[in-house]
Amino acid sequence: MCAHVLVAEDDEMQAELIRRSLLAEGHTATVVHDGRAALDAAHRLRPDLVVLDLMLPVIDGFGVCRVLRRDDDIPVLMLTARTAEDDVLLGLELGADDYMTKPYSPRELMARIRTVLRRSGRAPDRREDLAVRAGGVTVDPVRHEVRCDGTPVECTPAEFEILLAMAGEPERVFSRRQLLEVTRGTDRASTERAVDVHVMNLRRKIEEDPRRPTRLLTVFGVGYKLSGGRG
């Protein structure tokens, strides 16, 4: 049972732990760090499940859940550091499908996610549905394959993680620091300058002319983006 999960968690370390746990389970994940971004991503990406921290900035988890339930039927699993019964009941009354209190084990969280997906029937039946596509680049996290215009591309683990993150959110500009965090599990000795090297190597693999890239673009003073949109 594999799905696309939206993780809305303002603690970046916690969010990254959840993301890696989801990938290990064969899911794909999009991570955001505030409530407004969570709503935007939910409406744009139509995930199979939202893992929603209640203590989000901009719009808190209660507000996000309220809007999601008004506009859609995406399953929601709440994460809360609050143990007060009223908070939990309010979240459930707003339409959350399940909740977990912090701290929790990643294994327990993955088990809860499997249960919610099974109950909701939102998980795709086919493993190929997990592949993300942008600008002619297809990244399959289950098979750990990359294709460019249908041709297989050999990538290092760090290059794969960068492409997976960028293809999941095409046209989003990622800073070097954000891409560095994406590669931490595969290249712990990496630095922000090493990200430039990964990008340069990826351009050699997915660009017709690496000196004049049309897919993996530099946004000067900010970082990089994968252009071309989904599909």
Side-chain angles (χ1 to χ4, degrees):
M1 180 180 293
C2 302
H4 180 196
V5 180
L6 173 62
V7 179
E9 167 65 75
D10 65 327
D11 184 320
E12 294 192 9
M13 291 183 61
Q14 192 70 26
E16 180 62 11
L17 177 62
I18 297 171
R19 187 187 75 86
R20 292 189 185 283
S21 297
L22 287 165
L23 293 181
E25 289 275 313
H27 302 300
T28 55
T30 298
V31 175
V32 296
H33 301 297
D34 67 69
R36 171 54 60 194
L39 289 174
D40 290 345
H43 294 152
R44 177 167 47 89
L45 302 177
R46 306 281 299 174
D48 298 299
L49 172 72
V50 179
V51 176
L52 179 65
D53 181 36
L54 289 184
M55 302 298 289
L56 291 174
V58 186
I59 302 174
D60 67 16
F62 293 118
V64 172
C65 191
R66 186 178 291 110
V67 174
L68 287 178
R69 278 296 164 266
R70 184 188 68 202
D71 297 342
D72 211 327
D73 62 348
I74 299 171
V76 175
L77 192 159
M78 297 187 316
L79 302 177
T80 176
R82 304 177 177 185
T83 56
E85 185 179 27
D86 287 347
D87 289 332
V88 172
L89 290 177
L90 176 56
L92 295 175
E93 287 171 2
L94 288 172
D97 296 83
D98 200 355
Y99 73 94
M100 292 190 67
T101 56
K102 300 178 181 181
Y104 54 81
S105 73
R107 180 178 296 181
E108 182 183 2
L109 176 60
M110 293 305 109
R112 294 287 191 92
I113 286 173
R114 286 194 296 271
T115 298
V116 173
L117 288 170
R118 190 178 300 114
R119 285 201 309 249
S120 69
R122 292 291 293 260
D125 293 327
R126 297 176 302 164
R127 292 164 71 89
E128 56 265 31
D129 286 342
L130 292 171
V132 291
R133 302 170 181 84
V137 177
T138 300
V139 187
D140 188 328
V142 174
R143 296 180 177 86
H144 211 274
E145 293 177 349
V146 175
R147 291 179 176 269
C148 183
D149 295 331
T151 302
V153 176
E154 292 294 328
C155 292
T156 67
E159 291 166 1
F160 183 89
E161 292 291 345
I162 287 173
L163 272 185
L164 180 60
M166 299 182 85
E169 297 184 75
E171 302 295 343
R172 172 186 168 183
V173 181
F174 288 81
S175 69
R176 288 177 176 84
R177 183 176 183 82
Q178 288 169 328
L179 293 176
L180 178 62
E181 289 301 317
V182 164
T183 66
R184 281 300 192 191
T186 58
D187 189 4
R188 292 188 177 277
S190 187
T191 65
E192 289 189 28
R193 294 301 300 169
V195 169
D196 295 334
V197 176
H198 293 318
V199 169
M200 180 178 65
N201 290 336
L202 281 169
R203 282 175 173 162
R204 292 194 183 108
K205 298 174 181 182
I206 68 172
E207 297 285 359
E208 185 174 342
D209 183 352
R211 295 170 299 179
R212 298 178 179 82
T214 59
R215 289 178 166 125
L216 187 43
L217 305 179
T218 299
V219 179
F220 291 101
V222 184
Y224 301 102
K225 71 175 182 177
L226 188 62
S227 187
R230 289 181 175 272

